Amino acid sequence: METAAEYAIGIDIGGTNTKFGIVNHRGDISNVGEISSTNHDDINDFIDELYAMIKPAIKSVGGLDVIKGIGLGAPNGNYYTGTIDYAPNLQWRGIIPIAKMITNKFNKPCTLTNDANAAAIGELMYGAARGMRDFIMITLGTGVGSGIVANGQLIYGHDGFAGELGHTIIRPGGRLHWGTGMKGSLETYASATGIVITAKEILAERVNEDSLLRKLSNEEITSKKICEAAIKGDTIANEVFQVTGHILGEALANFVMFSSPEAIILFGGVIKAGKLLLDPTRESMEKNLLPIFQNKVKLLFSELKESDAAILGASALVWEIKPEAVTSGGN
Amino acid sequence: METAAEYAIGIDIGGTNTKFGIVNHRGDISNVGEISSTNHDDINDFIDELYAMIKPAIKSVGGLDVIKGIGLGAPNGNYYTGTIDYAPNLQWRGIIPIAKMITNKFNKPCTLTNDANAAAIGELMYGAARGMRDFIMITLGTGVGSGIVANGQLIYGHDGFAGELGHTIIRPGGRLHWGTGMKGSLETYASATGIVITAKEILAERVNEDSLLRKLSNEEITSKKICEAAIKGDTIANEVFQVTGHILGEALANFVMFSSPEAIILFGGVIKAGKLLLDPTRESMEKNLLPIFQNKVKLLFSELKESDAAILGASALVWEIKPEAVTSGGN
C-alpha cells in the first residue's frame, strides 16, 4: 500500500523518437507515450509539444503536486550543466540548455544525463545491478554507449562526460568511424552499425562461400537479419558474432582492469543475439584479463524491457537528485 | 602550532627495498629509513626487522600514543582484504595477510593499498592533485601502475584491484609482456623496461645510423641513459621518447574517455625525460580524444619528491581510514 503517492516523469530523447512515461517508486510505468524528435527545428516547439502530450498524463495520476520531478536521458546530455552539447544525432545544434527549459515549462525540477548513464541508473534501481556498488553498463545499439558505477555512484567525471567507452580505441589504425573520423574505436565494431560492416567485409572476402545474407540487398543487411541468419546456422553470420565478440571482449577486459566491476551489463538491440554474442565475448574477455581478474566478473544481459528501460532509467534520476547536481540547467 | 601532535607511519614495500618514515598531518616526513625487501624468506622475519627499525622512530616522536596508524603501499596490495596477493616482484608467494600481521606486531591499525593507489592518495593530499575530485595517477617506473580518483574517492572496484591500467591492451597482438605473457599492454611500451626495448628495436632497425647509445653495451642501455642521450640531441634516443609518448598518449586518451578526469598526473623514474616525453604524449592524447574532451585535461608531472612520495602516499592512508576498509587484514 502506498501512502502519499509520488511519481517521476521519465523522458528519453532519441535520434528518432522521444518516449515518456510516469513512474512510481517501484518502477511501475504508466501513461507511456512518444513524439517525434525530428518534427521541430526549434527546440522550443519540441518542448511545447512534449508538454502538451504529458500534461494529461500528469493530470491522470493526480496533478503536479504528486510529481517529484522530471528525469531526462539524451545523447550527449551533461549531468552537471543540464545541457545537450553538440549531439551529432539530434537536429538541434550547439549547446541546448534543455534541463532549464523543461524545468521552466513544467515548473518541476528536471535532471539530465546521457542515455547510457540513465540506463545504468535504471539497471541499478530496478534491474540486474540491484545491490551492486561497482558495475559497467554497455549499451550496444546503433552506437555503443556506457555508464560506469563505482563505489555505488555514477562516474560523471570532471565535466560530466565520463563513460564514452564506445569511443575508446581498441584497434589502433583500425576501422574508420563514420561520425568521429577516428580509427578503430569500439563503436566501429560492436555497434549494430559496426556489425553490419563486419558482415559486409566477410561476405566480400569469401565470395565463393554461400550465405543466407547473400539473398539480401546491401541495404537489407541489418544486425537483426544477421542475427536471424546466425540462429539458422549460417556460417558467415555466426562468424560475424565471433569477430564482434572477440573485439568486444578485448575492450571489456580493458574496462575491467580500469574499475574492477562486479559485473558488466550489456543492453540494447544487439544483445538479441544472445549466446551467439555472449559466448565469444566472455571467452575473449577472460583471455585478456590478468589472472587476478579472471573468472570473477559477471557478464550479464540487462533485465529491463528495452521499451521501458530508457524511460525507467531517466525517471530514476529524479529519486537520485543530489544537491550538487544542477537541476535547473546551464547558466 | 600543533596541539596534540599525531603521526602516521608510512611504509612502502618495493621489490628491492622497503622504505618508511613518520609523517605528520602537514605531510612533513621524519625518521626516514629503509631495509631490504629480499633478505628474509619468511615474511615474519621481515616484519620483525621492520618493527626493530621503526621502534626507535616511534619513540623519538613521542611513543605509540601519538601514532594514529600505519599506512602500507605494496605491489598487488589489496585495500579490502589487507593482503598482498601473488605479487610477482616479491619473494613471498601466494596471499600474504600483511595488514593483519603488521597490526598485530605494532599494535596499531594498518591499512594497505597498492603502491600506485598510495601515490595517488599522496598526490591528492600533498601534491599536484590537491583539491581535485577526478584525476588519474600513472606511475611510470620499472612497470606502469595507476591510481584512479573519481567523485573524490579512490576507485578500488569490486575486489580491491581496480586501476591496473598498465596491463590494459593498447596494441592488440603487440609486444609480448615479460611477466604476464599478454601482448601489447601499456606496460610493455611505457615502462622503463619497455623504453629500453623500444630503444634496442630502433637501434637494430637502423644499423647504419649513429647514436650515443651504440657506445653502451646491451646491459648498459637503461631508460636513464636513453634520456641523457636524448637531452644531448641524439636522434635515436629522441625517437624512443616520440614513440613512447605516441603510444602512452593513445592509452591516456582511452582513460580520459572512461572517467573524464580533470588531470592525469605522471609519476616515477621515466618522467625525468620531461618535455621529451610530455610533448609527444600530450599531442597523441589530444589527437585521440573526442572533441568534447579535447584541450581540457591537464597533463601534469607529480609534485612530490620521488624519494618521499611512496612513504607520504602510504602514510596518507592512515588519515583516510574509513569504517568499511578492513584495517586489520584478511580473515
Side-chain angles (χ1 to χ4, degrees), chain A residues 25-108:
Chain A
H25 274 281
R26 287 195 308 260
D28 304 320
I29 307 179
S30 66
N31 295 274
V32 172
E34 69 179 76
I35 66 170
S36 165
S37 303
T38 60
N39 270 356
H40 303 287
D41 290 340
D42 186 331
I43 179 81
N44 289 291
D45 298 336
F46 168 78
I47 290 172
D48 285 348
E49 188 188 345
L50 197 58
Y51 181 68
M53 289 289 288
I54 297 179
K55 211 174 155 185
I58 294 173
K59 204 169 175 185
S60 82
V61 296
L64 215 52
D65 286 352
V66 299
I67 302 292
K68 189 174 177 212
I70 301 159
L72 184 61
N76 288 38
N78 187 308
Y79 177 72
Y80 290 131
T81 61
T83 56
I84 297 174
D85 294 9
Y86 309 102
N89 300 320
L90 298 177
Q91 61 183 324
W92 310 299
R93 303 287 100 198
I95 297 175
I96 312 289
I98 194 157
K100 192 178 187 178
M101 297 172 84
I102 287 185
T103 298
N104 291 343
K105 187 74 191 179
F106 285 73
N107 203 23
K108 281 288 167 182

Side-chain angles (χ1 to χ4, degrees), chain B:
Chain B
M1 290 281 289
E2 272 177 35
T3 54
E6 197 181 32
Y7 298 92
I9 299 172
I11 304 175
D12 179 69
I13 300 182
T16 311
N17 291 306
T18 294
K19 296 172 185 170
F20 58 83
I22 310 274
V23 184
N24 69 11
H25 273 281
R26 287 195 308 260
D28 304 321
I29 307 179
S30 67
N31 295 277
V32 172
E34 69 179 77
I35 66 170
S36 165
S37 304
T38 59
N39 269 357
H40 303 286
D41 291 339
D42 187 331
I43 179 80
N44 289 293
D45 297 337
F46 169 78
I47 290 173
D48 285 348
E49 187 187 346
L50 197 58
Y51 181 68
M53 289 289 288
I54 296 179
K55 211 174 157 185
I58 294 172
K59 203 168 178 187
S60 82
V61 295
L64 216 52
D65 287 350
V66 299
I67 303 291
K68 190 173 176 216
I70 301 159
L72 185 61
N76 290 36
N78 188 307
Y79 177 72
Y80 289 132
T81 59
T83 56
I84 296 175
D85 294 8
Y86 309 103
N89 300 319
L90 297 177
Q91 63 182 324
W92 310 299
R93 303 287 99 197
I95 296 176
I96 311 290
I98 194 157
K100 192 179 187 177
M101 296 172 85
I102 288 186
T103 298
N104 291 345
K105 186 75 191 176
F106 285 73
N107 203 22
K108 281 287 165 181
C110 172
T111 305
L112 170 71
T113 193
N114 82 42
D115 38 3
N117 284 345
I121 294 172
E123 210 66 48
L124 180 63
M125 295 193 69
Y126 307 112
R130 268 168 303 186
M132 290 187 189
R133 289 178 54 80
D134 302 276
F135 72 96
I136 298 175
M137 181 92 181
I138 305 281
T139 63
L140 302 168
T142 313
V144 173
S146 62
I148 303 154
V149 172
N151 293 334
Q153 299 178 310
L154 204 65
I155 301 297
Y156 287 109
H158 179 53
D159 58 2
F161 288 115
E164 286 290 353
L165 298 184
H167 296 290
T168 60
I169 304 300
I170 192 68
R171 283 277 184 277
R175 190 178 281 173
L176 182 70
H177 191 287
W178 44 90
T180 66
M182 285 173 25
K183 281 185 174 173
S185 65
L186 178 60
E187 187 163 279
T188 64
Y189 299 100
S191 64
T193 320
I195 288 173
V196 170
I197 297 173
T198 301
K200 289 179 181 174
E201 280 179 4
I202 297 177
L203 288 167
E205 273 164 24
R206 306 203 199 157
V207 277
N208 296 321
E209 191 176 331
D210 201 20
S211 167
L212 294 168
L213 300 174
R214 296 204 191 278
K215 298 192 171 69
L216 304 171
S217 73
N218 212 34
E219 294 70 38
E220 284 171 339
I221 299 180
T222 61
S223 68
K224 189 159 171 260
K225 294 282 185 197
I226 299 164
C227 179
E228 287 165 8
I231 290 167
K232 287 179 191 156
D234 186 80
T235 312
I236 285 184
N238 268 284
E239 174 87 8
V240 172
F241 286 104
Q242 288 283 335
V243 169
T244 306
H246 183 78
I247 295 176
L248 177 58
E250 288 178 0
L252 299 186
N254 278 357
F255 305 158
V256 168
M257 294 191 283
F258 195 106
S259 69
S260 189
E262 177 176 352
I264 291 176
I265 299 170
L266 304 178
F267 176 85
V270 171
I271 71 170
K272 293 205 183 80
K275 270 173 62 71
L276 294 176
L277 178 70
L278 201 61
D279 289 350
T281 303
R282 183 181 281 123
E283 190 187 330
S284 166
M285 178 180 83
E286 292 292 345
K287 213 174 70 183
N288 285 283
L289 285 172
L290 284 188
I292 51 165
F293 295 106
Q294 281 169 4
N295 303 311
K296 280 182 177 176
V297 184
K298 297 169 195 148
L299 188 59
L300 306 171
F301 284 149
S302 167
E303 285 182 1
L304 300 177
K305 261 204 296 177
E306 209 197 334
S307 55
D308 291 348
I311 295 168
L312 211 48
S315 78
L317 282 171
V318 172
W319 318 122
E320 280 251 314
I321 288 175
K322 294 199 192 103
E324 72 261 33
V326 176
T327 56
S328 56
N331 340 323

Side-chain angles (χ1 to χ4, degrees), chain A residues 136-138 144-148 163-169 186-187 255, chain B residues 254 257-259:
Chain A
I136 298 176
M137 179 92 182
I138 305 282
V144 173
S146 62
I148 303 154
E164 286 290 353
L165 298 184
H167 296 290
T168 58
I169 305 300
L186 177 61
E187 186 163 279
F255 305 157
Chain B
N254 278 357
M257 294 191 283
F258 195 106
S259 69

